[in-house]
Amino acid sequence: MTRQLTFSQAVNEAMAISMREDADVILLGEDVAGGAAVDHLQDEEAWGGVMGVTKGLVQEFGRDRIIDTPIAEAGYVGAAVTAAATGMRPIAELMFNDFIGSCLDEVMNQGAKLRYMFGGKAKVPLTIRTMHGAGFRAAAQHSQSLYSFFTHIPGIKVVIPSTPYDAKGLLLESIFDDDLVVFFEDKTLYTMKGEVPEGSYRIPFGKADIKRSGEDVTIVAIGKMVHTALKAAGELSKNGLEAEIIDPRTLSPLDEDTILSSVEKTGRLIVVDEANPRCSAATDIAALVADKGFDYLDAPIKMVTAPHTPVPFAPSLEDLYLPTPDKIIKAVEEMTGSELVI
Amino acid sequence: MSQTQTNQTTISKEEATWMFQKMLEIRHFEDRVHDIFGTGILPGFVHLYAGEEAIAVGLCAHLDDKDYITSTHRGHGHCIAKGCDLNGMMAEIYGRATGLCKGKGGSMHIADVEKGMLGANGIVGGGFPLAVGAGLTHKLKKTGGVAVCFFGDGANNHGTFHEGINMAAIWNLPVIFVAENNGFGEATPFHYASSCKSIADRAAGYSIPGETVDGKDVMAVHEAAKRAVERARNGEGPTLIECVTYRNYGHFEGDAQTYKGEEKVKHLDDLDAIKQFYTYLTEQDIMTEAELDQMDADVRSAVDRAVEFAETSPYPLPEQLMEDVYVSYKTDGGATQ
Ligand SMILES: Cc1ncc(C[n+]2csc(CCOP(=O)(O)OP(=O)(O)O)c2C)c(N)n1
Ligand SMILES: [Mg+2]
């Protein structure tokens, strides 16, 4: 039987492998070990990350490399930028992507721009791992999906895996990439299991993965939305409509070719993105196809996204917030003009 | 920095009653939330204030509705001390439409602006500039009001701590910064994360008064708070008070707390803030055991009623998803919902 790991274990394993391969790889973040300077703990962790994703790392690599930081995001993310530029290969964990508010300058004005401003004479091999996503009842300041923020900024690579396999291969690629990468982990995917090979493997950036092939409609889905789209595709298939599901895996760089050739084949595009809909990854992908693939289209492009509101706390509202298979099917009905009996 | 002598002042029976009442409300509310969370029916994260009651209560005893407070992720105690309704709070934690924020904020964002409660906060360090802004309003509008910023020991390493206190000092604002030093930010000890012996020491860097008090002793907090609030109301500017305390539960519900040591036992027992205040009130003949015990029973019933209120309240309706994003512009939601 093939080995099954959770998403969380896959992320953990990628970090452990990178740290064995390269002594310059270090991890900084709040409670990535936990219990620093607690006498009875020493190199025992107290937490191993707020969600347990970094468990076991401090036991293997020690507190010199698994560094608990003060609650000072501007401080340690900024420090990670120049640690990277001066010879280390750090991973900085930003516990929730919502906390980017506390360190945006360090990412946007420093890390992202050093190389360009210095005429190519610097590189910033820094990976910022961060947790995103709604559906955890974590309310407005712990549930956002802010990848479009980073995609907007030149100099940053943006990675959003949807499966344990992709998470491991893409994280290894991120850590050994010489640019600043922001790596998104959906908190609701951590317990998801999937096949993950042992040892080191890397998935190149800018290569979308066709998670399901089909002839009738192209669905580009980001992160967890891949699974939502796959459910919708199952239902559509019962109605004789075959959806092609494309997981871009990286938003920067974006695999334009795979998206465009799929739309050329199907004539229809739906983008499913759980982030807010304005100036988003969804609008960006829609614009790409409107610009470079207009002639392929048989119907207007549809986006299925969160509404333009913060993430509500109440379960009754949060359940309405996220895209669902039904909403995707409704979009297909609108664009095909057919009523699907689901 | 001076160490405040405890139990030097006495208080009126009326004040004592209010303080004991609020401490009990916080304790029983939090203990109930802990129990209910354990059954798995509560959504989201909750961070409980049990053990730290003396701080919010000792401070808020000097405040009225026009005064503002900013709070933290551990905000239930601040809410209760500032006069928020228990039913509305419990319903908010349950995500019901009758909650103080209509169920849209939850435990980490409970607020009641009319009570001067500017919200629990999901962002560590979020409260410092917010308190400064509220203090600025008080100063410019000459209301005589003050703003109190409650924050944890972990937050004192955030840039906003330094930016906030410095601004409050240079503008001489009526702001009181209240550190709740419970020894840990999540699983990280204060002494590891902060390069200072006490948070109060940091006041010197901004030329404002700073003192450390026993945050388990409500009378000590009350006394230090009295001085700080008076200074602020008299236009003498900000003060930093560090209250040394301990949280009874984990950082959040589900935390195994392996980083805690033996000290835990005495904190839950002899050093318990409510126990200490009970002894003080009875030994000083301010209140009788019978009176205090009756209050305890009454508060337990009030918390029962709050739970019942929450559990029988409706969830927010779908249309509420789109409301209150803007004052003047109803969002159509953007793309296909
Ligand atoms: C900007 C930001 N960084 C990190 C967190 C995650 N976090 C939530 S509470 C907390 C610890 C806070 O410690 P402290 O200030 O001492 O307050 P306590 O929990 O002890 O009351 C952390 C790190 C956050 N919510 N916001
Ligand atoms: Mg603390």
Side-chain angles (χ1 to χ4, degrees):
Chain A
M1 210 188 98
T2 51
R3 193 178 66 137
Q4 301 277 307
L5 288 190
T6 62
F7 193 104
S8 164
Q9 288 166 331
V11 169
N12 181 290
E13 190 168 273
M15 284 187 280
I17 288 172
S18 71
M19 296 187 81
R20 284 176 211 134
E21 281 181 14
D22 184 344
D24 290 336
V25 178
I26 56 173
L27 171 68
L28 304 98
E30 293 155 10
D31 293 295
V32 288
V38 172
D39 286 343
H40 66 269
L41 289 175
Q42 306 285 344
D43 273 358
E44 255 337 276
E45 70 214 356
W47 275 17
V50 69
M51 305 290 275
V53 178
T54 50
K55 265 189 196 302
L57 295 178
V58 77
Q59 282 88 325
E60 181 173 352
F61 302 105
R63 289 193 183 271
D64 282 350
R65 293 179 72 192
I66 306 297
I67 306 172
D68 281 339
T69 67
I71 308 169
E73 289 81 9
Y76 77 83
V77 173
V81 166
T82 40
T86 55
M88 304 302 292
R89 192 168 279 285
I91 306 167
E93 176 178 299
L94 182 62
M95 192 183 294
F96 288 81
N97 75 161
D98 314 69
F99 306 162
I100 190 62
S102 295
C103 56
L104 188 55
D105 181 69
E106 287 64 31
V107 179
M108 175 178 79
N109 283 323
Q110 316 300 339
K113 297 183 173 49
L114 282 196
R115 181 172 183 78
Y116 190 81
M117 296 187 302
F118 296 179
K121 291 182 182 160
K123 59 178 186 175
V124 183
L126 165 64
T127 301
I128 299 174
R129 291 179 39 244
T130 191
M131 183 158 60
H132 77 105
F136 210 71
R137 315 309 187 204
Q141 294 174 343
H142 287 71
S143 301
Q144 297 168 87
S145 287
L146 297 173
Y147 29 74
S148 65
F149 249 48
F150 298 94
T151 310
H152 185 70
I153 300 165
I156 302 177
K157 292 176 177 168
V158 180
V159 181
I160 311 156
S162 67
T163 65
Y165 177 90
D166 287 354
K168 180 175 168 184
L170 286 166
L171 184 52
L172 276 159
E173 180 76 2
S174 301
I175 294 167
F176 290 108
D177 192 272
D178 279 340
D179 287 316
L180 197 167
V181 177
V182 184
F183 185 91
F184 285 85
E185 299 167 17
D186 190 310
K187 57 179 88 66
T188 64
L189 287 182
Y190 277 135
T191 54
M192 178 199 178
K193 282 199 159 176
E195 187 195 333
V196 179
E198 316 237 7
S200 191
Y201 65 93
R202 297 184 195 174
I203 296 172
F205 292 162
K207 282 210 79 66
D209 189 36
I210 300 177
K211 294 279 195 268
R212 181 188 196 280
S213 11
E215 307 293 321
D216 301 315
V217 55
T218 298
I219 304 179
V220 178
I222 297 163
K224 174 171 70 172
M225 291 301 110
V226 167
H227 306 288
T228 310
L230 283 167
K231 280 199 193 106
E235 293 299 316
L236 290 168
S237 183
K238 292 179 196 158
N239 284 267
L241 270 170
E242 298 305 333
E244 179 145 297
I245 313 279
I246 295 181
D247 176 358
R249 300 198 290 200
T250 62
L251 289 175
S252 183
L254 180 68
D255 182 354
E256 301 188 353
D257 292 346
T258 299
I259 296 170
L260 287 167
S261 32
S262 176
V263 177
E264 184 175 13
K265 177 172 70 171
T266 65
R268 298 186 182 94
L269 174 68
I270 299 176
V271 190
V272 188
D273 178 8
E274 74 157 276
N276 297 120
R278 303 291 314 279
C279 298
S280 64
T283 56
D284 188 59
I285 291 165
L288 162 77
V289 173
D291 183 14
K292 297 187 184 164
F294 188 77
D295 291 342
Y296 308 145
L297 290 168
D298 298 330
I301 298 165
K302 289 278 175 197
M303 300 195 303
V304 182
T305 68
H308 187 53
T309 75
V311 181
F313 170 68
S316 64
L317 299 183
E318 195 182 21
D319 290 344
L320 297 173
Y321 186 86
L322 284 170
T324 58
D326 282 351
K327 291 175 189 169
I328 297 171
I329 291 163
K330 198 175 129 219
V332 174
E333 287 180 332
E334 280 172 21
M335 73 200 310
T336 56
S338 57
E339 279 204 19
L340 305 172
V341 210
I342 304 287
Chain B
M1 296 299 119
S2 67
Q3 186 84 28
T4 304
Q5 291 284 304
T6 59
N7 299 355
Q8 295 257 306
T9 48
T10 52
I11 43 168
S12 69
K13 183 164 181 175
E14 194 191 345
E15 273 179 301
T17 306
W18 183 88
M19 284 162 63
F20 196 70
Q21 166 86 19
K22 289 292 158 192
M23 288 174 76
L24 287 173
E25 286 180 10
I26 296 171
R27 176 64 56 87
H28 292 313
F29 188 93
E30 296 294 66
D31 283 353
R32 271 309 279 282
V33 172
H34 170 81
D35 290 344
I36 300 166
F37 196 88
T39 70
I41 62 167
L42 288 183
F45 300 109
V46 289
H47 306 82
L48 301 178
Y49 196 73
E52 307 187 12
E53 296 86 354
I55 305 171
V57 170
L59 244 298
C60 292
H62 305 285
L63 307 182
D64 59 39
D65 284 356
K66 77 168 179 304
D67 297 315
Y68 289 113
I69 66 167
T70 65
S71 170
T72 67
H73 54 287
R74 200 173 301 292
H76 304 170
H78 308 134
C79 286
I80 292 173
K82 199 65 176 62
C84 294
D85 173 50
L86 296 186
N87 290 0
M89 284 182 61
M90 194 65 87
E92 189 60 34
I93 293 166
Y94 271 78
R96 305 299 168 114
T98 53
L100 286 181
C101 307
K102 302 180 190 166
K104 289 165 89 167
S107 165
M108 253 192 300
H109 308 293
I110 304 189
D112 190 345
V113 178
E114 276 164 25
K115 293 279 182 198
M117 165 54 188
L118 295 177
N121 209 311
I123 303 299
V124 171
F128 300 106
L130 302 181
V132 169
L136 184 63
T137 300
H138 279 314
K139 182 179 174 184
L140 296 180
K141 291 191 181 282
K142 300 186 173 58
T143 62
V146 303
V148 176
C149 172
F150 292 100
F151 65 98
D153 52 287
N156 102 100
N157 301 312
H158 208 266
T160 48
F161 167 92
H162 301 274
E163 297 187 24
I165 294 186
N166 184 60
M167 286 193 297
I170 63 166
W171 295 333
N172 205 38
L173 298 180
V175 183
I176 298 109
F177 296 94
V178 181
E180 302 179 317
N181 188 347
N182 58 15
F184 296 94
E186 293 185 344
T188 294
F190 163 69
H191 66 81
Y192 166 80
S194 298
S195 184
C196 55
K197 293 236 158 41
S198 81
I199 296 173
D201 284 353
R202 292 190 164 173
Y206 301 101
S207 304
I208 66 166
E211 65 176 307
T212 301
V213 300
D214 177 356
K216 302 296 283 270
D217 178 350
V218 71
M219 291 302 294
V221 177
H222 186 265
E223 198 184 304
K226 183 164 187 266
R227 285 194 297 275
V229 172
E230 268 171 20
R231 286 191 69 240
R233 292 205 202 282
N234 291 337
E236 293 165 54
T239 303
L240 172 60
I241 304 172
E242 175 187 28
C243 304
V244 179
T245 187
Y246 201 75
R247 60 170 148 72
N248 286 0
Y249 294 114
H251 169 66
F252 47 24
E253 291 304 275
D255 173 8
Q257 307 177 62
T258 57
Y259 48 85
K260 286 186 176 176
E262 291 304 312
E263 77 286 353
K264 186 175 174 184
V265 181
K266 63 181 190 326
H267 274 290
L268 294 181
D269 192 18
D270 288 354
L271 293 179
D272 182 77
I274 293 180
K275 220 173 184 176
Q276 287 195 54
F277 195 37
Y278 185 101
T279 308
Y280 172 79
L281 291 173
T282 49
E283 280 180 358
Q284 301 283 314
D285 288 328
I286 298 171
M287 296 181 75
T288 66
E289 288 189 5
E291 286 170 323
L292 297 176
D293 295 345
Q294 184 58 48
M295 283 171 69
D296 188 77
D298 292 346
V299 169
R300 284 175 194 270
S301 314
V303 171
D304 286 344
R305 287 195 299 278
V307 172
E308 196 188 321
F309 175 79
E311 292 188 346
T312 55
S313 289
Y315 283 108
L317 296 173
E319 52 268 30
Q320 288 185 282
L321 177 61
M322 312 304 271
E323 289 170 7
D324 295 324
V325 182
Y326 304 97
V327 172
S328 60
Y329 156 52
K330 197 161 176 341
T331 173
D332 66 0
T336 307
Q337 300 315 317

